[in-house]
Amino acid sequence: MAAVRDPEATKARIFAAATAEFAAHGIAGARVDRIAREAKANKQLIYAYFGDKAELFSQVLQQALLELASAVPVDADDPDCYVDRLMAYHRAHPELVRLLLWEGLEYGNGEIPHEAERRDRYDAKAAAFAAAQEKGRVDKGLPPRHLLFMISALAGWATAVPQFRRLLVGGTEDDLSGLRESVRVAAARITRPAVEDGSAVEDGATGQAGPAAAEG
């Protein structure tokens, strides 16, 4: 009896194999034959599903970003905790940052595939920060898009350049925990609204409060 084909299961295996391949080698260095072998899929089937290697990379990255958005929904009302969850996610899934770095090397400042979809998702996240500013949860001193960019950078840089982190901060679990705490403090300081006397409200990562927070 012939085996029943399961296209969705096949695509899932292709995505898993392609994620590892692209994260390790980028677009130019990745090989479709290796992806096919790891996914136990026909090479021509990959082309039939995705068209070419660049489109496969784009869809793999899109899927990775959707998984991040599902696992760590944007929380503009609590930016320091949000950045901490992002750091934890990137450490557990370093392939996402690597895919983004490879994308940057491949396309530079030029247009990327499916750019409108990506822009819409980033617009929605920036809108969440704008709404938090209007509610008084986040300081209005910086544009919401800039805040989102800085928080994303703070969260991902330790994973993007692990050698730099190790040389500068250290490579132990305690070192990483200390860095995560510092990143939380930094996120709190650039996002927390100021009180009337000009001091910042409580830094959520440290529990150190300004006068308004201390008064409750």
Side-chain angles (χ1 to χ4, degrees):
M1 182 177 178
V4 177
R5 289 186 177 180
D6 185 343
E8 293 306 313
T10 301
K11 285 184 179 180
R13 293 198 307 272
I14 292 171
F15 265 63
T19 298
E21 179 74 9
F22 285 127
H25 303 289
I27 300 175
R31 295 292 177 264
V32 175
D33 56 349
R34 287 198 296 252
I35 295 172
R37 184 169 61 249
E38 289 298 318
K40 296 180 174 59
N42 185 285
K43 182 177 177 180
Q44 296 308 313
L45 188 62
I46 294 177
Y47 288 120
Y49 281 149
F50 302 102
D52 59 23
K53 188 168 62 169
E55 177 60 20
L56 174 58
F57 174 87
S58 176
Q59 292 199 31
V60 164
L61 178 52
Q62 292 278 75
Q63 180 63 28
L65 289 168
L66 288 173
E67 290 172 1
L68 167 65
S70 176
V72 190
V74 63
D75 185 1
D77 287 340
D78 196 0
D80 44 314
C81 289
Y82 175 54
V83 77
D84 187 63
R85 289 193 293 272
L86 282 174
M87 283 192 76
Y89 185 90
H90 285 313
R91 190 184 182 208
H93 305 273
E95 64 278 1
L96 173 55
V97 170
R98 292 171 188 162
L99 291 171
L100 288 168
L101 290 173
W102 283 117
E103 181 186 53
L105 289 171
E106 181 74 17
Y107 295 102
N109 199 41
E111 186 173 347
I112 60 173
H114 309 287
E115 182 163 320
E117 297 173 32
R118 286 270 289 280
R119 192 182 296 277
D120 286 346
R121 288 201 294 272
Y122 295 148
D123 285 348
K125 290 186 177 183
F129 276 89
Q133 287 179 323
E134 289 304 313
K135 291 186 294 185
R137 295 287 298 169
V138 171
D139 187 77
K140 293 184 177 181
L142 294 171
R145 293 175 183 276
H146 295 187
L147 282 175
L148 176 60
F149 184 84
M150 286 188 286
I151 285 173
S152 299
L154 283 169
W157 194 236
T159 299
V161 284
Q163 78 286 12
F164 180 46
R165 174 188 57 77
R166 179 179 58 80
L167 291 170
L168 187 62
V169 178
T172 69
E173 288 296 319
D174 286 345
D175 294 330
L176 184 58
S177 294
L179 179 61
R180 281 180 60 176
E181 186 76 3
S182 294
V183 167
R184 285 189 61 172
V185 171
R189 288 177 178 173
I190 64 174
T191 57
R192 292 294 183 232
V195 293
E196 290 185 1
D197 67 356
S199 61
V201 300
E202 180 179 343
D203 285 339
T206 62
Q208 296 176 346
E215 293 165 7

